[in-house]
Amino acid sequence: MSWQRLASWILKKRLILLSLLGILTCIMAYFAAHVQLSYDFIKSIPLNNPKYKQYLAFKKTFGEDGNLMVIGYQTNHFFDSSFFHDYQQLVQRIQQVPYVEDVLSIPTALNLKKDDSLHRLQATLIFPSGSLSQRELDSLKNVFLSLPFYNGLLYNPETHSYLMAVHINKDILNTSGRTRIIDTIEQLADRFGQQHHITCYLSGIPYIRTVITNKLSRELRIFLISSVVLTALILLLFFRSLAAVWMSMTVVLIGVIWSLATIVLLGYKLTILTGLIPPLIVVIGIPNCVYFLNKYHSEYARHQNKVRALVRMVQRMGIVTLFTNLTAAIGFGVFFFTRSAVLKEFGIVAGINILWLFVISLVFLPAILSYLPAPKEKQVDYLDNPLLNWILKRLEILVFHYRPVVYAGTVLVLVFAIVGITRLTSVGYILDDVPHRDRLYTDLKFFERNFKGVMPLEILINTHHPNGVISLDLMNRIDAFSRYIARQPDFARPMSYVEGIKFARQAYYGGDSLSYAIPNQFDLVFLAPYLQFRPSASAGGNGFEKLLHAFVDSSKQTARLSINMKDVGTRRLPVLLQALQKKADSLFPASHYTLTYTGTSVVFLEGSRYIINGLTDSILLAFVLILGCMFYLFRSWKVVFISLVPNMIPLAFTAGVMGWVGVPLKPSTVLVFSVALGIAIDVTIRFLVNFKQEMQLVHYQMSEAVKRTIHDTGISIVYTGLILFAGFMIFSFSAFGGTQALGLLTSLTLILAMISNLTILPAMLLWLEKSLKRKARRHQLWPAVDEEKDLSLEELGLTELNHDTQPSSTEKQPRVKN
């Protein structure tokens, strides 16, 4: 079916199509209303990834490592009776919060005492509940400080810092209910800090996840509303028509509803990435409307026939809009072919809905415009904007008379970009995108300064033999490894069953702190009856025995070292793990032991690597697919080459700017290049298709065709460029660095792409003038978008519609634009 026939069919069936679109949108709105926010922490790693499998195996054996929230205070008055009593009450209140499973703190700290009658160690609270006098508290304080087990774990004596660890049920952490739990704990902790005029510090994976997710959720709603309002104002400024505004806004709002419904229908939830799709739909959908409306107004200004203007709008802009949406969909859709689940979801939802935008705008705009009155003079005044015409005239002069300046400027930009690209680095942090003044960041740094961090790292030591962990030789090896790790500035003292054994030896020898050490052969003879492991923690026993069971599997074959560490970033973590492995190789021969490094920190590192590699691969794939689209459109490798140059230069320039100003490559910044490539190429397609149409109108006079294309297409290119620039700039107001980078860098790339497509592209067309002219005359250039023969309204069966929609003779008509 030709584009003219398609336009005729849309206009004839307009009522049916609008009704069908309305019904489908209502159905989609029902599904969109059920969209949910994702609370999964990690979805960036493929399920079959070895490190992800190791992490799942670890969680199955030892439980969740990312369910610990920490609360910290710094004070010289911790053991003052009034302060300590209030701190005890704070602990009790937090223990009563639903889904809080345990609170490890100084008031709940246990001491071990030898019970000779039962030949076992009894665990008792050091600080009994209830009011304690200052004298009693001082005495118990000395007992507590004599236990090296808690030094660095619950307090730092050098900085007078104190830590409380809150274990939260792992199931609630993957639901929206976690917000209420975290908020309650935060309020209790902050209220205590205010009561005693000290700062409360909060951190830990549950707290970080919850705060970031909630902030993103609020931001996405704000961005969606802001993008709608901003684009509506820009459209009103350009078109000076409320009808143009509400039509365009209706198109993109339908697109937003369909995108949210797609997320639900595919069984997905809103993630950090898929949450960006609704505002992106607004920003990307508006250019469709601008292209269609601009062509409709320019055609009507020429011949004052509304139906003919609508037919030519679809005829001339249909294939252009189809391919601009297709290339944009490719730019996003290629993420589906990565191995990262979060990128796959983003790619498939964005790709599908960008194509739906084309269908929605193709059906909705002609149908609605056919019911509305013909444009008035003030509604097409923007076609003859003096300021814009002056700018386009200057660009024309630059292209025709100063081409060497254009080429020299391009070379300078490339040199700047290449040098900047050599300075690029790739690094990511768990709190990478959080501003340094934000509480999340400042509180994390408090724990890093005083407790060497809170990010979980787990090391599993497999002895390959049941009861292998009971070996005294292994205990000494683990102790030596733990002491080595504790000396590193980025790792806290590891917790393991060995620390429990040392604690038990201290208790056996009457609590002497000098006895906190690995038992020797002589000690074991007497200690053995006191160190019997129960089959499992559920089989009974005191809290300390449960603590020991948390670090040894049920067969006593595998031991666990649990380490808190700093947020060192993706560049340093592999180096640090390599250093640990080197030390481990000297202590744990590979013939007897297998060490596995896992935990949230390792999974995050692997996830960041997958996302960055996936984004890089997707850019290359998008580049190849867009090359194919361009070749199909223009059937000339020369044209394909000159179409890519003005788009590669802005991308290279943006990468150079990142290198010069120190913006690292990370998931949020790599995303810019694929998004910008898919959108920026739209401008090139629009320019070249219009250039081809002008070539036929001026009988292949290349210079005249370029000049007319700059002026005719330049209007819509500038308008859409400004809309895209403003739309993406909204993201720069985010509280998160990654979203800010997406907004700023994409806006920079798109505005540079607009400039390069109005300067470098026409300059290169003139450079290839002789070659393109010969091929065009042989009808070998752009056969895929050749103009079809204009059919009369009678041939299209639109005579009656034309009669119904023609304006009365008394209505003032817009002037014809020459």
Side-chain angles (χ1 to χ4, degrees), residues 51-121:
K51 284 187 170 55
Y52 186 68
K53 288 182 176 180
Q54 290 172 355
Y55 183 62
L56 291 180
F58 161 78
K59 292 204 298 182
K60 183 177 180 181
T61 303
F62 294 103
E64 183 71 45
D65 72 323
N67 67 335
L68 190 69
M69 179 178 175
V70 292
I71 304 170
Y73 299 98
Q74 192 169 26
T75 176
N76 295 323
H77 307 287
F78 188 86
F79 288 101
D80 290 355
S81 59
S82 59
F83 185 96
F84 191 84
H85 176 70
D86 291 343
Y87 193 78
Q88 279 183 313
Q89 290 185 323
L90 171 65
V91 172
Q92 292 169 5
R93 293 190 187 100
I94 292 177
Q95 286 175 325
Q96 294 169 3
V97 174
Y99 298 101
V100 169
E101 296 181 334
D102 191 22
V103 178
L104 180 61
S105 65
I106 292 178
T108 60
L110 301 172
N111 193 11
L112 295 180
K113 292 187 177 180
K114 183 172 62 171
D115 188 332
D116 291 328
S117 62
L118 297 175
H119 291 286
R120 62 179 299 181
L121 298 173

Side-chain angles (χ1 to χ4, degrees), residues 106-168:
I106 292 178
T108 60
L110 301 172
N111 193 11
L112 295 180
K113 292 187 177 180
K114 183 172 62 171
D115 188 332
D116 291 328
S117 62
L118 297 175
H119 291 286
R120 62 179 299 181
L121 298 173
Q122 294 283 4
T124 59
L125 284 172
I126 300 173
F127 301 95
S129 58
S131 181
L132 296 170
S133 68
Q134 188 62 54
R135 189 172 184 177
E136 291 173 321
L137 186 59
D138 289 341
S139 175
L140 296 173
K141 167 190 171 182
N142 292 330
V143 173
F144 174 76
L145 295 179
S146 70
L147 303 176
F149 180 83
Y150 295 110
N151 191 338
L153 177 66
L154 295 181
Y155 72 100
N156 182 335
E158 296 177 357
T159 62
H160 302 285
S161 302
Y162 300 89
L163 181 146
M164 181 193 309
V166 182
H167 291 264
I168 303 173

Side-chain angles (χ1 to χ4, degrees), residues 228-391:
V228 169
V229 173
L230 182 61
T231 50
L233 291 174
I234 295 175
L235 285 172
L236 184 61
L237 178 65
F238 287 165
F239 292 113
R240 301 177 188 177
S241 167
L242 289 175
V245 173
W246 76 257
M247 279 190 295
S248 303
M249 289 297 101
T250 302
V251 168
V252 295
L253 288 177
I254 292 174
V256 168
I257 291 171
W258 285 41
S259 67
L260 293 173
T262 304
I263 292 172
V264 176
L265 291 171
L266 292 177
Y268 301 152
K269 295 181 180 180
L270 279 178
T271 63
I272 292 176
L273 283 180
T274 54
L276 293 174
I277 292 177
L280 283 175
I281 289 292
V282 174
V283 175
I284 295 171
I286 290 298
N288 282 4
C289 302
V290 172
Y291 286 148
F292 277 117
L293 291 171
N294 179 250
K295 178 55 69 175
Y296 170 63
H297 290 152
S298 61
E299 287 293 335
Y300 184 77
R302 287 191 178 100
H303 48 69
Q304 286 84 51
N305 187 306
K306 192 171 93 172
V307 176
R308 171 56 67 190
L310 290 172
V311 171
R312 286 189 177 172
M313 177 184 78
V314 175
Q315 177 189 358
R316 304 282 173 86
M317 295 310 302
I319 192 167
V320 176
T321 310
L322 171 61
F323 274 88
T324 54
N325 281 48
L326 180 61
T327 53
I330 288 173
F332 290 91
V334 289
F335 297 145
F336 177 74
F337 299 101
T338 65
R339 298 177 63 190
S340 169
V342 69
L343 284 177
K344 280 179 178 288
E345 294 178 8
F346 177 72
I348 192 66
V349 173
I352 288 174
N353 284 282
I354 289 172
L355 292 178
W356 274 125
L357 268 177
F358 165 73
V359 176
I360 293 167
S361 56
L362 184 68
V363 170
F364 183 83
L365 291 174
I368 291 296
L369 286 169
S370 68
Y371 285 111
L372 295 177
K376 297 179 181 179
E377 183 175 355
K378 68 175 184 178
Q379 294 173 338
V380 295
D381 276 348
Y382 71 93
L383 295 172
D384 198 22
N385 185 298
L387 175 60
L388 187 55
N389 286 335
W390 182 86
I391 294 172

Side-chain angles (χ1 to χ4, degrees), residues 234-235 238-239 283-284 286-295 298 317 320 324 382-383 388-389 391-392 395 399 634 643 646-647 650 679-694 705-726 747 749-762 765:
I234 295 175
L235 285 172
F238 287 165
F239 292 113
V283 175
I284 295 171
I286 290 298
N288 282 4
C289 302
V290 172
Y291 286 148
F292 277 117
L293 291 171
N294 179 250
K295 178 55 69 175
S298 61
M317 295 310 302
V320 176
T324 54
Y382 71 93
L383 295 172
L388 187 55
N389 286 335
I391 294 172
L392 295 176
L395 291 175
V399 168
F634 304 117
S643 70
N647 292 289
I679 297 175
I681 201 74
D682 298 355
V683 181
T684 307
I685 294 174
R686 176 76 177 93
F687 190 96
L688 288 175
V689 171
N690 190 267
F691 169 71
K692 180 264 175 183
Q693 295 168 348
E694 294 294 343
V706 169
K707 186 182 300 184
R708 292 177 65 163
T709 304
I710 290 174
H711 286 274
D712 187 27
T713 312
I715 296 173
S716 57
I717 287 177
V718 171
Y719 285 170
T720 54
L722 292 176
I723 289 172
L724 288 169
F725 175 81
S747 297
T749 307
L750 293 178
I751 206 71
L752 289 174
M754 179 190 75
I755 295 170
S756 63
N757 275 287
L758 289 174
T759 54
I760 300 170
L761 180 58
L765 284 172

